[in-house]
């Protein structure tokens, strides 16, 4: 029998314990051994819980129990979990985690510390979708050309609603909070940080590159407006919060931000709380993985997949995908060097010469216009909504600066990158 | 160094050898060991090939070479490959195959014979998509409620063209053969047999159930007409060749046939030569896996994924997903007991009472009509196109028989199941 300790028995932890009980027979037949959740740790023992596992409020009861083979870390936070999993590994216990923030900051240290002990984290990325499995073990023949992911259900739910119902961001945020799809303080999700943590982990598996959240471009969905959604629809795009990884020669791009993406792309069809990750390999072409990105049972499904893997074969694949070091020559691309197409929303005075001014500024910075709509807002102001051909991030930033300094806009310009 | 012998160096075999060379550095870093394709077997040594591997026409040169660790079987056929892989396993060589027919007939024997030696077959199902990986290793916490797959690129390419261009089956078949998407004798693909082989393997991984092609319902796309495509579009369905596995209490349904499927479902959006497999687990919900189902490089990507797995850890998961026997109480459902909705195309004489006759016959067999279109074909004949509510296969068959015997149809009725 394999004994499992669960540190942090919240929604996911309770699901892990309950599924191990509910589906015990088939899990045992697949693993070749019984898997028993023997002890769970919570901070408040008095809270009512519907969960089939013995509980304690003392983490050391799990860490010091020599009969426990696998520790499941579901604590939330970064440094406390880091200390806990390090102790577990030092005691030779395998670790399974869902903690994307922990891995965003400490994954290479943990790979080092774990050594030959299994450390698995399928549940940290895209909930129940076995994406780590696919990327790390299913696509090893390939140079990964790109990864594009919708990996935050809160943002995707909100944007899908904005598209379907035409309402504004603040209204949707409030609704989402009431339904439990967004937190009271939603920043971590709507600001793109949660998605960024997941992207960093995938970037390491794909490229062998280490990077921290501070190193990459992260923008959230807080500034998306109904006008943006309408422009996108007009030209058959959807707006999604996308995590993007790309390899361009020896540079790796890692970035998270809203995008206009053509409706014809499979990833654009991922709606609501669902997640989707498109991975293009140089030999396999485009693959995509789709499923629920969150939820107790869906996330627990991924945790248990790791537990069964460990039961079957101990440590399997190298934790972050590479047995020997690789990619020293690969460098993280500087944000300013990003090349893509851009959508701009400019609120201007409806006066003679404004359009010409804007066009001239763009031209000066090597930016050419692909599509444009001018929409009067009232008798004095208008929206200029335009998309550019591919150009460089530093040039767009300079152009936006010049546009503001020229005094032609009456509000902060909006910019959304286009992923064509 | 891990040495690989490739038995059958056709398109896929050549890709395997070439990718191991082209992407050698990153594959070595991921596997932790160099992987060298040392010998390939072909039947005709005189043929011009662009491949970086030493060739022989003698299979035994691979099987008897003690330095060869892994045999890749890409021969095609069933009994000859069976003998070859058995010999390889007896000599302690790991085996990687793309041979779905071999597995359709011999997978349980091979699991037994392989024992603790790795026998992997990711490339046998859905080309480059790591679906075995996902189903066998990523979803182990779940009872699999259903699998729905578009797993034959030939059929999907042809049906997509019929939908997009409105042309008839024979025209599309000819075009597809000219483009190399269909064989000179296309029966194995268009008849649904190729897809059926793949479904049987997934059914074993999901349920622990053995079944042969002869045991299950297999229907191809040869009778799909533009009228069927139009009816489907009218009601926002697409027509796809679908492989279906379902668990209903202790019965397992396995079947392959064309379906009308709602355009809103993710699987309906899989077009052209692409494959897609939707798997619903009782805990994770719906997941989907999408990518190229065929092609030298895409299939070789899956072969090499298995090779790297073996390099990293030898034998990992139980070959067919279960370490200990499971599912003895599960029974394969009889075709007659299938319950679903049906679309019928009836060519009738445009006479008084024909519609009433048809409706009465359906009612007699507990079949009720959901949607219907009557379209005049010429001055004497019309098409009755209708869809039913859920009913039983045996009842539809009886009703169709009665309809024919009543003399109201002037051509063989068409029936396509609806997967709502």
């Amino acid at each position: 029998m394999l004994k499992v300790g669960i540190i942090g028995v919240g929604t996911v932890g309770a699901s892990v314990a309950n599924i191990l009980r509910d589906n015990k027979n088939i899990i045992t037949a697949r693993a070749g051994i019984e898997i028993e959740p023997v002890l769970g740790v919570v901070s408040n023992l008095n809270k009512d819980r519907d969960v089939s596992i013995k509980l304690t409020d003392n983490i050391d009861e799990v860490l010091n129990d020599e009969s426990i083979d696998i520790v499941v870390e579901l604590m939330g936070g970064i440094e406390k979990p880091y200390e806990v999993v390090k102790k577990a590994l030092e005691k030779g216990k395998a670790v399974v985690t869902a903690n994307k923030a922990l891995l965003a900051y400490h994954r290479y240290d943990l790979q080092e510390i774990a050594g030959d002990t299994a450390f698995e984290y399928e549940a940290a990325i895209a909930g129940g979708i076995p994406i780590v499995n696919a990327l790390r073990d299913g696509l090893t023949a390939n140079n990964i050309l790109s990864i594009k992911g919708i990996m935050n259900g809160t943002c995707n739910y909100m944007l899908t609603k904005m598209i379907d119902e035409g309402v504004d961001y603040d209204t949707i945020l409030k609704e989402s909070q009431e339904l439990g799809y967004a937190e009271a303080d939603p920043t971590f999700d709507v600001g793109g940080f949660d998605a960024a943590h997941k992207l960093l982990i995938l970037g390491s598996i794909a490229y062998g590159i280490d990077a921290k959240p501070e190193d990459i471009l992260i923008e959230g969905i807080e500034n998306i407006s109904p006008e943006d959604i309408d422009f996108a629809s007009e030209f058959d795009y959807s707006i999604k919060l996308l995590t993007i990884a790309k390899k361009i020669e020896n540079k790796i791009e890692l970035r998270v931000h809203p995008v206009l993406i053509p409706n014809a792309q499979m990833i654009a069809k991922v709606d609501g709380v669902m997640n989707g990750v498109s991975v293009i390999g140089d030999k396999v072409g485009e693959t995509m993985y789709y499923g629920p990105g969150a939820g107790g049972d869906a996330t627990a499904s991924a945790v248990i997949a790791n537990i069964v893997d460990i039961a079957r074969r101990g440590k399997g694949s190298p934790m972050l995908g590479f047995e020997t070091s690789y990619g020293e020559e690969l460098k993280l691309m500087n944000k300013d060097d990003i090349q893509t197409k851009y959508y701009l929303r400019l609120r201007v005075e409806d006066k003679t010469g404004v359009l010409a001014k804007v066009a001239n500024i763009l031209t000066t910075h090597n930016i050419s216009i692909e599509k444009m709509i001018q929409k009067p807002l009232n008798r004095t102001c208008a929206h200029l909504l335009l998309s550019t051909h591919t150009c460089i991030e530093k040039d767009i930033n300079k152009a936006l600066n010049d546009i503001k300094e020229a005094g032609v806009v009456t509000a902060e310009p909006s910019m959304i990158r286009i992923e064509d």
Side-chain angles (χ1 to χ4, degrees), chain A:
Chain A
M1 175 187 287
L2 216 63
K3 296 189 177 186
V4 176
I6 304 175
I7 305 183
V9 184
T11 311
V12 177
S15 283
V16 172
N18 293 342
I19 294 172
L20 285 172
R21 173 200 60 199
D22 291 346
N23 287 355
K24 186 178 171 68
N25 287 346
I26 199 168
I27 291 173
T28 304
R30 287 176 174 149
I33 187 170
E34 280 185 49
I35 295 165
E36 195 64 31
V38 294
L39 191 57
V41 184
V42 294
S43 32
N44 177 5
L45 278 169
N46 295 323
K47 186 173 164 189
D48 241 332
R49 286 168 225 276
D50 181 21
V51 64
S52 53
I53 185 175
K54 178 170 165 237
L55 295 177
T56 172
D57 58 6
N58 181 359
I59 291 179
D60 286 325
E61 274 194 55
V62 168
L63 294 177
N64 294 335
D65 183 339
E66 298 205 2
S67 74
I68 288 179
D69 304 289
I70 300 177
V71 165
V72 178
E73 185 275 299
L74 298 170
M75 296 167 67
I78 301 176
E79 297 311 320
K80 185 86 196 285
Y82 186 41
E83 292 311 310
V84 166
V85 304
K86 275 199 291 183
K87 280 200 192 128
L89 292 169
E90 277 155 23
K91 290 171 181 290
K93 297 182 191 315
V95 169
V96 176
T97 183
N99 195 332
K100 52 212 64 87
L102 169 68
L103 292 163
Y105 286 98
H106 294 300
R107 59 196 178 282
Y108 279 94
D109 292 335
L110 287 168
Q111 178 172 245
E112 177 93 30
I113 294 164
D116 284 333
T117 304
F119 188 110
E120 292 295 346
Y121 51 91
E122 182 67 76
I125 304 165
I129 312 172
I131 180 63
V132 173
N133 200 14
L135 181 62
R136 187 181 67 183
D137 303 342
L139 302 176
T140 42
N142 296 268
N143 281 296
I144 303 301
L145 300 181
S146 73
I147 300 171
K148 295 182 197 175
I150 290 172
M151 300 201 292
N152 182 276
T154 301
C155 290
N156 205 47
Y157 174 82
M158 290 174 60
L159 289 169
T160 304
K161 280 278 188 166
M162 287 179 75
I163 292 171
D164 289 349
E165 294 174 17
V167 298
D168 67 285
Y169 177 83
D170 290 325
T171 306
I172 284 299
L173 176 58
K174 197 152 172 293
E175 256 184 55
S176 307
Q177 286 165 320
E178 282 159 15
L179 291 169
Y181 289 131
E183 309 277 342
D185 178 359
T187 318
F188 195 66
D189 290 314
V190 301
F193 301 103
D194 170 78
H197 288 181
K198 298 161 181 173
L199 175 68
L200 291 168
I201 303 165
L202 294 186
S204 294
I205 299 172
Y207 304 115
I209 191 170
D210 194 3
K212 302 288 185 292
E214 298 75 58
D215 301 329
I216 71 172
L217 178 73
I218 303 173
E219 286 173 15
I221 64 168
E222 305 98 313
N223 296 323
I224 307 295
S225 78
E227 289 81 11
D228 303 329
I229 303 265
D230 288 344
F231 178 93
S233 300
E234 178 78 37
F235 296 107
D236 212 24
Y237 289 111
S238 290
I239 298 187
K240 299 289 186 187
L241 182 80
L242 210 65
T243 59
I244 297 173
K246 287 188 190 174
K247 180 174 184 296
I248 299 165
E249 288 168 355
N250 73 329
K251 292 273 203 325
I252 303 298
E253 276 191 50
L254 294 169
R255 49 190 167 101
V256 181
H257 51 72
V259 296
L260 270 65
I261 188 154
N263 287 329
Q265 290 198 21
M266 280 302 273
I267 195 80
K269 306 173 204 284
V270 175
D271 284 334
V273 294
M274 299 303 268
N275 280 192
V277 185
S278 153
V279 182
I280 300 181
D282 65 345
K283 299 301 177 184
V284 71
E286 183 179 16
T287 60
M288 200 184 83
Y289 311 89
Y290 166 91
D297 280 358
T299 310
S301 171
V303 169
I304 294 171
N306 284 156
I307 293 173
V308 171
D309 251 356
I310 294 169
R312 283 167 164 175
R313 52 178 176 75
K315 178 183 186 244
S317 304
M319 178 187 154
L320 292 166
F322 289 87
E323 289 284 5
T324 57
S325 80
Y326 182 83
E328 283 89 12
E329 79 286 3
L330 295 176
K331 297 277 169 274
L332 201 56
M333 186 184 285
N334 191 296
K335 301 175 203 179
D336 289 335
D337 297 332
I338 290 164
Q339 291 191 41
T340 185
K341 297 161 76 170
Y342 295 82
Y343 155 83
L344 302 180
R345 167 164 51 91
L346 308 172
R347 187 183 162 118
V348 297
E349 288 184 341
D350 196 354
K351 269 181 3 195
T352 317
V354 166
L355 179 53
K357 248 187 197 164
V358 168
N360 284 331
I361 291 171
L362 293 176
T363 308
T364 308
H365 293 288
N366 299 313
I367 299 163
S368 61
I369 296 173
E370 191 190 36
K371 305 178 183 59
M372 197 178 74
I373 295 176
Q374 177 165 338
K375 293 173 93 147
L377 277 173
N378 53 45
R379 284 198 299 171
T380 54
C381 284
H383 262 149
L384 282 184
L385 310 171
L386 62 97
S387 66
T388 72
H389 288 283
T390 301
C391 54
I392 308 178
E393 183 94 358
K394 65 165 80 85
D395 290 337
I396 276 286
N397 286 333
K398 287 184 199 164
L400 286 171
N401 224 44
D402 289 359
I403 285 169
K404 283 188 288 188
E405 292 199 347
V408 291
V409 289
T410 64
E412 187 69 20
S414 263
M415 178 270 274
I416 306 174
R417 297 169 192 79
I418 299 173
E419 188 60 27
D420 235 319

